[in-house]
């Protein structure tokens, strides 16, 4: 029979999916995130290998049963030494066809079902990737959390703290967000936010990104300052889409744009302004056809020489998109 393995390694979690060659789900597993720049190559390799082995065990198969494995890994393609170490070790452990790529690529494959277009990831981090009709690809955003991660959960978490500071010293009118941050961070006084940041958030991408949950609570209460921050995130993500479109000469076509990641689960606060900015540039926003894990399976099937129509149908029955 033979099986496929798809791995989606992001900043907050790493997910694994095993299917047969028709795309029928046989096993899955979820473990911690795997980010090169934060964790180092040894720990990332350990997380990926142990997680994949656990997924195979849940499917009741061994590495020898795999036909193809697709590894979508955060930061892949950005650190040559780490890429070389990772591909070498994993190829030794799993004797099958292998494809390594950035996690945004499996998102693109799943959301647009291997068709050309542009895909936006906005979770802990943010990155955008596109593919033209000839298969050429381009990326934008996601350079580094310190200077180019606009529209991500991490970026919104920092912006939430910045907005709190502006409201605390009355550069802006205080709103629901001000009180919610004080409550979430258990602040005795406003200046305690500095200590909270130093002790709990500094250098911690996942925890900083989680702070945007306060922003979402404020937005749901009608806080205009919070709603404006989501609009700002949508604008930044749309500009990243434009950057990819310019690189691929897709500005003059009704290019399809799809998306995935936790920020888009904020619903209309992010999707409405994002859709509006894209429409102004002539793009078409599409709901994702499959989640990134499904995209990894499609890439595996395609590289295995399979027709993917039945694979897509089976994956749609068992996986929730987005």
């Amino acid at each position: 029979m033979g099986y496929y393995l798809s791995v989606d390694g992001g900043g907050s979690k790493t997910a694994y999916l095993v299917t047969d060659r028709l795309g029928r789900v046989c096993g899955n597993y979820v473990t911690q995130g795997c980010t090169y720049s934060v964790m180092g190559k040894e720990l990332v390799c350990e997380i990926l290998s142990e997680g994949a082995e656990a997924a195979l065990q849940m499917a009741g198969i061994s590495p020898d049963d795999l036909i193809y494995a697709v590894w979508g890994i955060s930061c892949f393609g950005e650190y040559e030494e780490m890429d070389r170490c990772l591909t070498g070790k994993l190829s030794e452990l799993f004797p099958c066809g292998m494809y390594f790529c950035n996690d945004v690529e499996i998102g693109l494959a799943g959301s647009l079902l291997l068709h050309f277009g542009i895909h936006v990831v906005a979770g802990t981090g943010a990155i955008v990737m596109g593919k033209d009709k000839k298969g050429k690809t381009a990326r934008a955003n996601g350079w580094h959390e310190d200077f180019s991660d606009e529209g991500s959960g991490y970026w919104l978490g920092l912006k939430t703290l910045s907005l709190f500071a502006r409201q605390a010293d009355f550069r802006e009118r205080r709103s629901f967000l001000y009180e919610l941050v004080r409550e979430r961070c258990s602040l005795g006084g406003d200046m305690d936010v500095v200590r909270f940041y130093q002790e709990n958030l500094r250098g911690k991408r996942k925890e900083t990104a989680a702070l945007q949950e306060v922003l979402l609570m404020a937005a749901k209460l009608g806080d205009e300052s919070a709603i404006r921050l989501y609009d700002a995130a949508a604008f930044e993500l749309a500009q990243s889409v434009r950057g990819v479109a310019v690189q691929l000469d897709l500005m003059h076509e009704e290019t399809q744009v799809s998306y995935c990641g936790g920020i888009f689960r904020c619903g209309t606060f992010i999707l409405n302004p994002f859709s509006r900015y894209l429409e102004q540039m002539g793009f078409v926003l599409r709901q994702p056809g499959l989640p990134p894990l499904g995209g990894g399976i499609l890439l595996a099937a395609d590289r295995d020489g399979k027709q993917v129509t039945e694979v897509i149908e089976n994956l749609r029955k068992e996986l929730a998109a987005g």
Side-chain angles (χ1 to χ4, degrees), residues 246-257:
V246 169
Q247 294 178 67
L248 296 177
D249 197 23
L250 294 176
M251 289 297 295
H252 305 294
E253 303 187 36
E254 289 190 355
T255 300
Q256 295 186 82
V257 178

Side-chain angles (χ1 to χ4, degrees), residues 225-241:
S225 64
I227 293 170
R228 284 197 301 272
L229 264 186
Y230 281 113
D231 187 283
F235 177 80
E236 293 291 350
L237 294 173
Q239 290 303 302
S240 297
V241 170

Side-chain angles (χ1 to χ4, degrees), residues 111-182:
S111 66
L112 296 177
L113 305 177
L114 299 182
H115 295 297
F116 85 97
I118 298 173
H119 180 67
V120 179
V121 177
T124 300
I127 189 171
V128 178
M129 183 177 186
K131 179 178 72 172
D132 67 13
K133 293 178 181 178
K134 296 181 180 180
K136 179 183 176 183
T137 62
R139 284 172 44 178
N141 204 339
W143 290 79
H144 194 280
E145 61 265 24
D146 287 346
F147 59 85
S148 179
D149 206 17
E150 297 90 348
S152 68
Y154 179 80
W155 183 85
L156 279 169
L158 291 177
K159 291 292 184 182
T160 298
L161 288 177
S162 177
L163 182 56
F164 170 81
R166 295 180 66 85
Q167 292 187 5
D169 59 21
F170 291 98
R171 283 176 286 167
E172 291 197 24
R173 181 178 61 84
R174 290 181 176 178
S175 64
F176 289 116
L177 181 130
Y178 171 77
E179 295 297 340
L180 289 171
V181 170
R182 284 181 59 96

Side-chain angles (χ1 to χ4, degrees), residues 176-196:
F176 289 116
L177 181 130
Y178 171 77
E179 295 297 340
L180 289 171
V181 170
R182 284 181 59 96
E183 180 181 347
R184 171 67 172 265
C185 301
S186 301
L187 305 182
D190 292 343
M191 286 300 297
D192 289 340
V193 73
V194 177
R195 174 187 52 77
F196 181 87

